Amino acid sequence: GAVVSQHPSRVICKSGTSVKIECRSLDFQATTMFWYRQFPKQSLMLMATSNEGSKATYEQGVEKDKFLINHASLTLSTLTVTSAHPEDSSFYICSATTDRNNEQFFGPGTRLTVL
Amino acid sequence: DAKTTQPPSMDCAEGRAANLPCNHSTISGNEYVYWYRQIHSQGPQYIIHGLKNNETNEMASLIITEDRKSSTLILPHATLRDTAVYYCIAKNYGGSQGNLIFGKGTKLSVKP
């Protein structure tokens, strides 16, 4: 159990376009989902915390108008990178957790390349 | 959350035990020690967590010193598939609001 999926696993887009990444908890209800970004040879950096039915909380330095997060249900959160630029190229990873335990279950990640 | 310190890299022979140290000298009384690992180009995977007592599960054992200022993750029989970056994180056990702060971790290379 406790599987988190992400879609797509890899995406290449042109500069200026928007890209949506989905994060789903497949067999549990996730009250909280987290979005992380990881640049090559670096550690994961938290971007935002998303609670179902409420606005996401963004970390300092993360533009909320550029990285739109929607957590419309207990099993789905989406991250939209708007007007993507080459510097947004990164590995985006989501995680989900429940109220019943403190394990965070991570998705497999989405590799975004902006040309 | 308390800061943790880990060696940047370690090697281990296949079949031998891998002992990964973590220093968390400023850990507070209500902070747990969590271990995750990340295999290349994948999302992190939960391994184990503990507060005071040593813990063991099907993946690993966690040994926490009595003063809780350091801990060791033990992979009893390392395989090539255990090659990954291992992260030690100190975090409050508090509902679902606690995000994880990832440091640089230890890159474990298991060699044949």
Side-chain angles (χ1 to χ4, degrees):
Chain A
V3 178
V4 175
S5 70
Q6 282 184 242
H7 178 80
S9 58
R10 185 182 295 268
V11 58
I12 300 172
C13 70
K14 292 182 179 179
S15 186
T17 61
S18 293
V19 175
K20 180 185 283 188
I21 303 169
E22 291 186 349
C23 176
R24 292 182 186 272
S25 56
L26 298 185
D27 50 3
F28 67 100
Q29 293 185 326
T31 51
T32 303
M33 288 184 169
F34 301 93
W35 286 95
Y36 294 83
R37 180 168 54 182
Q38 186 176 33
F39 292 108
K41 298 190 186 301
Q42 294 187 23
S43 190
L44 284 78
M45 295 296 294
L46 180 69
M47 298 176 67
T49 302
S50 166
N51 291 300
E52 184 263 339
S54 61
K55 290 184 178 180
T57 302
Y58 290 80
E59 294 300 301
Q60 192 172 11
V62 178
E63 300 175 56
K64 62 180 181 181
D65 294 330
K66 180 170 181 63
F67 298 99
L68 302 179
I69 292 172
N70 184 282
H71 192 162
S73 78
L74 286 171
T75 60
L76 173 65
S77 177
T78 61
L79 167 68
T80 301
V81 183
T82 62
S83 186
H85 291 285
E87 58 265 30
D88 298 323
S89 298
S90 189
F91 192 48
Y92 290 87
I93 307 168
C94 73
S95 71
T97 187
T98 71
D99 284 331
R100 290 186 290 126
N101 61 58
N102 262 251
E103 292 177 36
Q104 278 193 32
F105 303 100
F106 286 82
T110 296
R111 177 79 57 192
L112 171 63
T113 303
V114 184
L115 303 177
Chain B
D1 294 335
K3 178 180 169 59
T4 62
T5 305
Q6 300 176 252
S9 64
M10 291 182 65
D11 289 344
C12 177
E14 187 179 19
R16 304 296 292 268
N19 297 285
L20 292 95
C22 179
N23 184 291
H24 32 79
S25 57
T26 61
I27 196 168
S28 64
N30 58 350
E31 286 182 316
Y32 282 63
V33 179
Y34 285 78
W35 283 84
Y36 283 77
R37 72 179 182 184
Q38 186 179 24
I39 295 170
H40 183 63
S41 292
Q42 297 183 24
Q45 176 189 22
Y46 166 83
I47 301 173
I48 199 167
H49 75 278
L51 182 63
K52 295 181 186 177
N53 300 322
N54 298 337
E55 302 287 344
T56 296
N57 62 21
E58 65 277 5
M59 288 184 68
S61 294
L62 174 61
I63 308 298
I64 302 174
T65 57
E66 194 169 340
D67 62 9
R68 300 211 326 121
K69 293 185 176 183
S70 65
S71 61
T72 301
L73 178 74
I74 301 173
L75 307 178
H77 305 286
T79 71
L80 298 179
R81 288 178 293 181
D82 292 321
T83 292
V85 178
Y86 286 77
Y87 297 99
C88 168
I89 301 168
K91 189 178 86 68
N92 282 314
Y93 191 96
S96 60
Q97 296 302 314
N99 58 280
L100 295 168
I101 308 296
F102 286 83
K104 297 184 186 298
T106 295
K107 184 174 183 179
L108 175 68
S109 298
V110 181
K111 300 182 183 299

